[in-house]
Amino acid sequence: MIAGEWPRVALMSDVLEFAGVSVVRDGTTLLNDITWEVEEGQRWVILGPNGAGKTTLLQLAAGRIHPTSGVVGILGEVLGAVDVFELRPRIGLSSAAMAERLPADELVGDVVVTASYGIVGRWRESYDALDHARAGALLEALGVAHLSKRTFGTLSEGERKRVQIARALMSDPELMLLDEPAAGLDLGGREDLVARLGALAADIEAPALVLVTHHVEEIPPSFTDVLLMREGRVVAAGPVEIMLTAANLSRTFGLELVLERHGQRWSARAEQVHSEAVSAKEVRLLQQ
C-alpha cells in the first residue's frame, strides 16, 4: 500500500450491465449497440481515440444521461426505472465536468467531506469526527493530506486530480468511475497517480473500478479488464491479458501499433511512419 490505508467498503454484485445500448444526440450516434458487463471485483480500463464514445459511456454508467435505446443496469437498478438522485450517491465519479463544479475558494478538506451529503460547496450542514477522519485518511492515501487547509483553486492540476479521487471515494461508493484521471499531468505526477490507483485496484475490498484513458501507459497495475472502443462501437472487451493486443489496439486507433509490456505496465508506439518524406517546405511550416 502506498501512503496510507484505503478505507474499506463492502463488495457487491450486479455492478454494470449494458444491453444493446445506443445514444443518439442531434442526429449523431455517439454509442452504437453497446453490450458490456462489469462484475464485482473487476477493474476495467476503457481505451479509445477522441470521439470513440468513452465519456458518453461513463456518463451512462454514472446515471448522468439516459440511453436512446437499450437497457442500462447500474448496481442492480435499471436506468429509467430508478430515482437517479438515490442512485448517484452510490457511485464515485471523478471527471473534468465535476472538477468545474467545485468551488475554487473552498478548503480541500471541505471539498472531500461534502461528498458525504452528495453536495458541492459547504453550507450549514454538520459533519462528525468520523466524516473528517475518513476525509483525512483518503487525502493521506492519495498523498495530499498536507493540502487539506489550502483552497481548491490554488492547487496544481495533479493535486486537483488526487483531491477529486479522494472526494469520489468519500461516500463509500459501490462503483468508482474515473474519466482520464492522468490527463494534463507531467511525467512524475502521472507515475505517482498511476501507482496509487494501482494500489487501490489491488485492494480486494475496493469498489469496482472503471477508468477512461487514451493511453496504455496510464493503465494502472492490477487492472483486470479492457474495453476498446472506436466510433461508438466496441472493438474488443475482456481480460487485459487476452484482449489488450497490438492487433486490437491498432484496430482501435486506426494505426499500426507496436504494444510492449513492462512488468504490470504497457507502452505503445507506431510501427512505422506511413507518410512519405516531409518536404522542405512542410518542415519549415512545422517549425513555425
Side-chain angles (χ1 to χ4, degrees):
M1 187 61 64
I2 299 176
E5 294 290 333
W6 295 104
R8 299 294 193 240
V9 296
L11 290 174
M12 42 70 62
S13 59
D14 300 324
V15 181
L16 285 175
E17 188 169 356
F18 286 43
V21 172
S22 295
V23 173
V24 180
R25 294 289 185 269
D26 298 324
T28 300
T29 299
L30 304 180
L31 293 177
N32 194 336
D33 194 25
I34 300 292
T35 295
W36 174 50
E37 184 175 349
V38 176
E39 299 178 356
E40 62 177 276
Q42 290 183 330
R43 285 81 172 89
W44 280 82
V45 59
I46 303 176
L47 274 171
N50 290 330
K54 304 184 302 298
T55 295
T56 301
L57 191 71
L58 215 65
Q59 288 177 321
L60 283 170
R64 302 286 168 170
I65 63 173
H66 287 71
T68 304
S69 61
V71 177
V72 175
I74 307 174
L75 301 177
E77 306 288 351
V78 176
L79 196 58
V82 63
D83 184 344
V84 293
F85 294 102
E86 293 183 1
L87 180 63
R88 287 173 184 170
R90 301 168 62 191
I91 304 167
L93 175 64
S94 175
S95 68
M98 176 60 69
E100 290 175 359
R101 296 177 56 203
L102 298 174
D105 60 352
E106 184 145 277
L107 295 179
V108 164
D110 288 340
V111 166
V112 176
V113 80
T114 51
S116 297
Y117 281 88
I119 63 174
V120 173
R122 187 161 183 173
W123 185 233
R124 296 179 178 177
E125 70 283 351
S126 61
Y127 302 90
D128 58 30
L130 289 177
D131 291 325
H132 289 289
R134 177 170 176 78
L138 287 166
L139 288 170
E140 177 68 28
L142 271 301
V144 286
H146 62 290
L147 302 175
S148 63
K149 299 301 181 182
R150 288 263 301 274
T151 56
F152 186 70
T154 66
L155 304 184
S156 69
E157 184 66 19
E159 291 166 343
R160 291 187 186 197
K161 292 290 180 65
R162 297 188 203 181
V163 171
Q164 289 176 63
I165 295 170
R167 175 184 166 82
L169 286 164
M170 181 66 196
S171 62
D172 276 335
E174 298 165 62
L175 170 63
M176 183 74 172
L177 306 174
L178 304 170
D179 193 359
E180 298 187 47
L185 302 187
D186 61 26
L187 179 59
R190 183 194 76 182
E191 288 301 292
D192 183 82
L193 181 60
V194 166
R196 293 177 189 278
L197 291 177
L200 176 60
D203 186 341
I204 62 172
E205 296 186 11
L209 298 171
V210 179
L211 181 152
V212 165
T213 182
H214 297 102
H215 309 290
V216 296
E217 291 81 3
E218 294 176 1
I219 301 175
S222 300
F223 267 61
T224 60
D225 295 85
V226 62
L227 176 67
L228 295 156
M229 298 183 65
R230 181 175 178 83
E231 297 179 346
R233 293 180 178 272
V234 173
V235 174
V240 170
E241 302 286 344
I242 299 172
M243 293 300 177
L244 188 56
T245 65
N248 284 339
L249 201 65
S250 297
R251 289 170 56 206
T252 298
F253 287 92
L255 178 69
E256 290 299 318
L257 296 169
V258 174
L259 179 67
E260 297 177 344
R261 182 168 183 172
H262 316 273
Q264 293 192 66
R265 299 291 299 281
W266 306 84
S267 65
R269 58 181 173 78
E271 186 171 27
Q272 60 185 7
V273 178
H274 293 273
S275 61
E276 298 296 328
V278 180
S279 69
K281 180 179 179 180
E282 289 170 326
V283 169
R284 287 195 297 272
L285 288 173
L286 290 170
Q287 292 175 336
Q288 291 178 356

